[in-house]
Amino acid sequence: MNIVTDPKFAPPGSILSAEANQAAALATATATLTVDLDAVIANWRKLEKTAVPAECAGVVKANAYGCGAEQVARALSGAGCKTFFVATLDEAAVVRAAVPATAAIYVLDGFFQNSGEAYARINARPVIGDLNELAEWDVFCRRTGWAGGAAIHIDTGMNRLGLTIAEAQGIIPRINAGDHGITLVMSHLACAETLNHPLNAKQLATFREIASLFSGVPASLSNSSGCFLGAAFQFDLVRPGCALYGINPTPEADNPMQPVVEVKARIVQIRNIEKGDSVGYGGTWSARRPTRLAIVASGYADGYFRAGSSNDGTRGAEVIVAGKRCAVAGRISMDLMAIDVTDLDKSAVRRGHMVTLIGEGITVDELAHHFGTIGYEVLTSLGSRYARIYKGGAAEPTAKASGPAPVIPD
């Protein structure tokens, strides 16, 4: 087990061992977020097996969906993952420090003028989805001799990022001329989580046709859900993200992935209220009987959304207290929430005990349903106040990217 704490708060001159400091951090934490790296690896291996013979990459953007990009990337690299996707150059730098120098890191938000040196410094590859970006990247490569590679993103129906089909066709002569520096051609599915959505087949046909013109360049279309649409969608590389972290990539069926995240928060007070008393901001929830409340140290500042609140007409989200499901009482506030524990034995619920917000049967997807959103937003919103605990994933990559930065020719 590894507990990640902020070194800024370590007492000066501390003589405690690392183990003692970790134990102290856990003892004083008001909330914990546990990431099971072995489950991340198991999910990646399942996706890899599903995608064979395609390569299986790992999407670790947004701090690995809130789970810790450094820790997740290192664990995946140790398991055999060789290609990673992030959103920004800052994210790429974090991942580069955790994976071998030979690993490919693609930056989805693309290339900006004067960013070439930053890409070369960490040996990252831009995902280019605009002709202006491509021209700026070309200028940098010609000026410096940089040959680190880039992906071409083609829009096949998402209408977000990517070259149009006509624009992609226009650069085919460059591809056929060789020495083009394009290491991947990709697109992104808009509706892959809906098995029979007509846009899936339309995007597949469009991408298959245009990708075939990029002779010798590996192709990638599928995200997490796309991995389960069949072999035709998998091409040379699949790019799972949410499924790595336990979110259900097949919402029309049972979740094939292992849960990864457990979130707990501490009870800071037990209080009793009378029938008719209201709880929380706005007085929207009233006790229908003499009620015992556990006040828990987590709220919307920690990513437990206000939308999970309850009122006199609507039951809100639930948490696990002493092994039992108990409902939120009233509005969730910034740092606290009230939980109705009236039906539990008094001895089972005490100040200082931890309750489970995610885990013990409460999934990320269930919580997302209560919040009126998706699991992606739940995970990426988990706040910075949790003491983060990492289990498993002990395998270390055999080669580190700790050597000198690539040399950029003048």
Side-chain angles (χ1 to χ4, degrees):
M1 180 183 294
N2 180 25
I3 302 173
V4 177
T5 56
D6 191 329
K8 296 193 297 294
F9 300 108
S14 173
I15 60 173
L16 292 177
S17 67
E19 292 78 8
N21 276 321
Q22 289 180 353
L26 187 57
T28 58
T30 55
T32 62
L33 189 161
T34 301
V35 178
D36 186 344
L37 294 173
D38 284 343
V40 174
I41 291 170
N43 288 339
W44 179 79
R45 285 180 172 151
K46 183 177 183 65
L47 291 157
E48 181 188 36
K49 184 177 180 180
T50 301
V52 166
E55 179 188 351
C56 187
V59 179
V60 292
K61 63 181 180 176
N63 196 29
Y65 288 53
C67 293
E70 177 185 352
Q71 294 82 3
V72 169
R74 182 176 293 115
L76 288 175
S77 179
C81 184
K82 297 178 175 61
T83 303
F84 298 86
F85 286 81
V86 295
T88 68
L89 264 170
D90 286 344
E91 292 179 349
V94 172
V95 175
R96 175 54 72 203
V99 302
T102 54
I105 302 174
Y106 287 96
V107 181
L108 292 162
D109 283 359
F111 189 88
F112 294 92
Q113 193 171 16
N114 302 321
S115 65
E117 286 81 2
Y119 272 97
R121 192 176 302 118
I122 60 172
N123 190 20
R125 302 175 181 182
V127 176
I128 294 173
D130 178 87
L131 290 180
N132 291 321
E133 287 181 74
L134 184 59
E136 291 164 357
W137 183 71
D138 278 343
V139 168
F140 170 73
C141 291
R142 286 197 300 269
R143 177 173 62 83
T144 64
W146 176 246
I152 293 293
H153 186 175
I154 301 171
D155 178 31
T156 58
M158 172 72 85
N159 286 310
R160 190 175 60 177
L161 293 177
L163 274 63
T164 66
I165 298 300
E167 289 171 338
Q169 290 170 334
I171 67 172
I172 296 303
R174 167 195 175 135
I175 300 299
N176 292 336
D179 194 26
H180 46 71
I182 304 303
T183 52
L184 185 71
V185 57
M186 58 178 280
S187 190
H188 192 64
L189 293 166
C191 304
E193 69 280 3
T194 305
L195 186 61
N196 294 314
H197 198 288
L199 189 53
N200 293 333
K202 182 179 179 181
Q203 287 192 266
L204 173 62
T206 301
F207 184 67
R208 182 191 290 121
E209 182 176 352
I210 190 65
S212 69
L213 302 179
F214 282 71
S215 179
V217 179
S220 177
L221 177 63
S222 286
N223 53 9
S224 289
S225 297
C227 291
F228 296 90
L229 290 178
F233 285 82
Q234 292 165 2
F235 291 88
D236 301 296
L237 176 79
V238 296
R239 313 185 308 271
C242 74
L244 295 174
Y245 311 104
I247 294 172
N248 188 359
T250 58
E252 297 175 344
D254 292 339
N255 190 353
M257 315 316 297
Q258 293 186 20
V260 167
V261 168
E262 182 179 68
V263 176
K264 293 186 176 184
R266 197 176 298 278
I267 297 172
V268 296
Q269 190 177 114
I270 302 291
R271 62 188 307 116
N272 296 298
I273 62 174
E274 300 299 324
K275 179 180 179 180
D277 286 351
S278 64
V279 175
Y281 285 116
T284 59
W285 187 94
S286 303
R288 299 181 180 180
R289 57 180 176 173
T291 299
R292 190 166 186 244
L293 297 173
I295 309 302
V296 175
S298 187
Y300 55 77
D302 305 292
Y304 202 93
F305 296 173
R306 195 169 182 262
S309 303
S310 63
N311 57 49
D312 285 338
T314 305
R315 185 178 178 90
E318 297 178 331
V319 306
I320 304 294
V321 185
K324 305 290 185 182
R325 283 184 174 248
C326 297
V328 170
R331 283 185 179 163
I332 293 162
S333 52
M334 183 180 292
D335 315 303
L336 299 164
M337 66 177 80
I339 308 299
D340 185 346
V341 295
T342 310
D343 294 331
L344 302 183
D345 291 339
K346 290 185 178 181
S347 62
V349 188
R350 296 182 181 178
R351 175 175 169 267
H353 285 184
M354 301 292 276
V355 307
T356 300
L357 311 183
I358 300 175
E360 296 186 62
I362 296 179
T363 67
V364 173
D365 292 303
E366 177 188 333
L367 203 56
H369 175 74
H370 282 293
F371 292 166
T373 185
I374 56 176
Y376 303 66
E377 188 176 15
V378 173
L379 286 184
T380 57
S381 297
L382 294 175
S384 60
R385 298 193 291 195
Y386 296 104
R388 289 171 177 260
I389 303 167
Y390 290 90
K391 302 191 304 182
E396 293 283 346
T398 56
K400 302 283 187 173
S402 56
V407 176
I408 307 173
D410 293 328

